[in-house]
Every structure is written in C-alpha cells, then in structure tokens.
Amino acid sequence: MIFPEYRARRMRANENLRKMIRETNLLPDDFILPLFVIGGKDVKNPIPSMPGHFQFSVENAVKKAKEASDLGIPAIMLFGIPDKKDSLGTAAYNKNGIVQKAVKEIKNKIPGLVVITDVCLCQYTDHGHCGFIENGIIDNDITIDLLGKIAVSHAKAGADMVAPSDMMDGRVAEIREALDENEKFDTAIMSYAVKYCSAFYGPFRHAAHSAPKFGDRKTYQMDPANSDEAIREATMDVEEGADIIMVKPALSYLDIIYRVREEIDLPVAAYNVSGEYAMIKAAAEKGWVDEKKITLETLTSIKRAGAKMILTYSAIDAAKYLQE
Ligand code: PBG
C-alpha cells in the first residue's frame, strides 16, 4: 500500500466506484422509532426540546406507528406517561395502563410491526427514580420484582419485546422467569445492558416527565469513564437470558458499541438518545449544520461501530432521506 503504486483516490472517483467499496449501508431496516404515549383523546403535545416529536394519545400513536411501518421501519419502542404517579409505580403494571392500551391498539391495527416496550419505573414513581425507594435507598430486589410484573403486563397486552432500562442487578433473569411463568416464552428481552449515567437524556426527561426529584442516577447507571465494566454488564445479561444487548447513549460511546460487538455474542442495539437528537435539531435550526447530511452521517457511524439496530428519534426523517 505505497504511493504511487497504490492510490486511495482511484476508488473514490465517482459515485458508482464509491458504492462498490462502501462498507456500511444504512437502511430503514436498521431503525427503531421511540414513541411517547399519554392518556386522552386526539392529543399531540409537541416536545419543545425534541422538535418533530410529540406526546401522542393512543390513536395518534397508531398513526405515527403506521407511518413508520409504511416507510419500512420494522419496530417501535413505547414509553408511557401515566396520569398518576405513586411510590410503587403501580400505573406501570396496571392492565389498563397507557402502555398496555397502546400496545393492544397498535398490534391490533398493525400486527406485523414489532412493538417493544420500555420497562422502567421512573415515569411512574412519584420521586422519579428507576426503582423502589426505602429509607432513601433504592432497593434492588424489590425493584426487580416490580419490573417482572411490568414486563408480564406488557407481554399480556401483546408486546413482542420488553426492554428493561432501569439498570438494577438481576432484572433480566427476574423478567425472563416472570415471562416464562406466564407462558410468554416468545416475548423477547432487549436489555439496556450498558446504560451510562448521561447528561444526554435531558430532553427525554422533559418529554416523559421522569427526572428524579432528588439526587441523580449514579448508583445504578454506569460511570461514563468505564469500558471494561460494560463487558461485565453485558455478560451478566447474556447469562440471564437477554436476546439483544443495548448500549446507550450511542455517539459518545461508539468505542463501547464496537467492544460489545466484538466481545459479546448477541445482536447489539444502540440508542441514539434524545440529547444527541436535540443537538442536531438545534444546530440545524440555526443553519449551522446540514440536517440531512449530519443525520445520515451520525446513523452511519453508529452502524459502522457495530450496532445491528439503532433506536433513533430520526428514524422517520432518515427513512425518508434514504428514499430520496
Ligand atoms: C428510563 C429511560 C430513559 C431513557 C430511556 N429510558 C431516561 C433515563 O434513564 O433517565 C432515555 C432515552 C433518551 O434520552 O432518549 N429509564
């Protein structure tokens, strides 16, 4: 590979040559669209820090899901915003809860679309933490019991896949056991296995009303400084029965996506989170970056790093760009 015999530019001379050596091709198949559902009728509340995203009532969530499905996007991820919060997060496992209703309706109207549900307590607890709190401390083992209940209620509503995002220890095993006890053998688990304590979740917490009322999430989410720990977390979840391992956030953690892809034998998902989306939208609004190009470049980089699927608020925009 020495100049002048080798010239790297030869294979870049025109678009067809570039296509021939292109190593990563982004497709709508790669995307999972996150959606926020809220009670009421004909609700479509814009989320200011996530332009283009809304809190949807069920029938509007169905419309959005249909749009995604028609663009070739294979899956959505549902987040619920309940009417009531309490110390046990009971609205999360109520069979008439907002997520349960939305799952039923979406599976009814668009049976082929894969419906994934986020399984966590933070939107449902009055303190906004992802676990049950006793004497100011998050009780791991009571929490995973509740998570099992949430997962089962989502599965009973028809969810194809549940995605625990709480970062408690042992929750994947607990959820697998609870699902199997309820004969939900085919409900898959996408584990938020490697989830960092990140400032990039800010816009999501406005959207889902899930910011913690005190303290932070450092006792359960990972320290952004760590990489070996990501492999330990992912390995635990593989052994506990996860079907897909997620790394979250994506952009500041491409090295982690790459490592998990290399070292863990399960499909890897990456979550291109709310703050990553908001930064692009804000800069594009100011005319400082080219929104289309930067969105596709960002998603390509996440796929190139090793993600088999990408949870992204840009799913619909990107699927449209790819059609152009
Ligand atoms: C709930 C949850 C969060 C996200 C997904 N599930 C927020 C958090 O942990 O505070 C963040 C998603 C995003 O920022 O897009 N535990």
Side-chain angles (χ1 to χ4, degrees):
M1 299 289 203
I2 295 176
F3 175 81
E5 286 76 20
Y6 180 71
R7 287 176 183 266
R9 293 184 55 205
R10 274 184 204 127
M11 290 302 291
R12 295 181 198 142
N14 65 50
E15 180 53 17
N16 276 335
L17 285 168
R18 290 190 291 269
K19 258 190 207 168
M20 290 167 73
I21 61 161
R22 185 161 297 141
E23 298 171 37
T24 308
N25 282 294
L26 205 58
L27 298 167
D29 300 7
D30 303 325
F31 307 145
I32 300 169
L33 174 71
L35 288 177
F36 299 97
V37 281
I38 193 164
K41 276 220 160 62
D42 208 26
V43 181
K44 191 179 173 192
N45 300 330
I47 301 165
S49 51
M50 300 174 70
H53 279 266
F54 302 84
Q55 298 170 333
F56 287 123
S57 51
V58 172
E59 79 287 1
N60 285 334
V62 172
K63 276 188 211 152
K64 205 30 129 184
K66 180 79 170 57
E67 185 186 350
S69 174
D70 289 345
L71 283 163
I73 295 166
I76 59 163
M77 166 83 92
L78 289 179
F79 294 95
I81 302 150
D83 309 334
K84 273 192 304 237
K85 298 177 189 256
D86 58 31
S87 65
L88 281 168
T90 51
Y93 39 94
N94 181 330
K95 73 175 181 354
N96 298 314
I98 184 64
V99 169
Q100 291 79 353
K101 275 190 201 155
V103 171
K104 253 181 237 159
E105 208 40 37
I106 292 169
K107 287 305 291 184
N108 181 22
K109 298 272 160 58
I110 323 163
L113 183 69
V114 174
V115 176
I116 311 170
T117 55
D118 182 82
V119 171
C120 198
L121 284 163
C122 56
Q123 287 113 272
Y124 303 89
T125 49
D126 43 22
H127 44 68
H129 275 288
C130 304
F132 176 75
I133 297 190
E134 197 147 56
N135 304 325
I137 287 176
I138 295 172
D139 187 305
N140 190 89
D141 300 11
I142 295 178
T143 300
I144 62 177
D145 221 59
L146 297 175
L147 295 168
K149 277 194 188 178
I150 302 174
V152 168
S153 83
H154 290 176
K156 284 186 175 166
D160 299 288
M161 201 180 288
V162 292
S165 65
D166 52 285
M167 288 300 278
M168 296 300 128
D169 291 323
R171 88 288 201 184
V172 171
E174 185 74 27
I175 288 172
R176 185 70 269 157
E177 196 181 309
L179 289 170
D180 290 354
E181 270 167 15
N182 285 275
E183 298 189 11
K184 293 294 177 190
F185 307 110
D186 295 327
T187 308
I189 301 175
M190 172 190 277
S191 175
Y192 286 73
V194 182
K195 179 172 175 180
Y196 288 91
C197 192
S198 170
F200 285 98
Y201 308 150
F204 173 95
R205 292 180 190 168
H206 306 152
H209 305 158
S210 67
K213 294 259 155 53
F214 62 89
D216 52 40
R217 303 208 199 289
K218 285 184 185 161
T219 70
Y220 41 106
Q221 300 181 345
M222 284 174 55
D223 182 341
N226 296 351
S227 171
D228 292 342
E229 190 186 5
I231 302 304
R232 290 198 287 278
E233 279 283 2
T235 305
M236 257 172 103
D237 289 0
V238 171
E239 284 165 7
E240 290 181 23
D243 299 282
I244 294 167
I245 294 296
M246 189 207 294
V247 175
K248 176 186 176 192
L251 272 191
S252 299
Y253 300 86
L254 293 175
D255 59 323
I256 307 298
I257 297 172
Y258 182 77
R259 253 193 101 174
V260 171
R261 167 75 187 87
E262 292 290 297
E263 298 183 39
I264 301 291
D265 183 26
L266 274 183
V268 179
Y271 203 139
N272 176 215
V273 299
S274 57
E276 299 170 7
Y277 175 80
M279 289 195 308
I280 290 181
K281 284 284 177 184
E285 238 168 55
K286 285 187 172 280
W288 291 348
V289 296
D290 179 321
E291 183 172 352
K292 173 180 170 179
K293 284 185 184 152
I294 212 166
T295 299
L296 292 175
E297 181 177 336
T298 298
L299 294 170
T300 300
S301 75
I302 297 169
K303 184 170 184 180
R304 189 194 63 229
K308 189 71 198 72
M309 50 207 111
I310 307 170
L311 292 114
T312 177
Y313 301 98
S314 303
I316 288 192
D317 288 347
K320 286 183 183 161
Y321 297 148
L322 292 170
Q323 271 184 353
E324 282 167 10

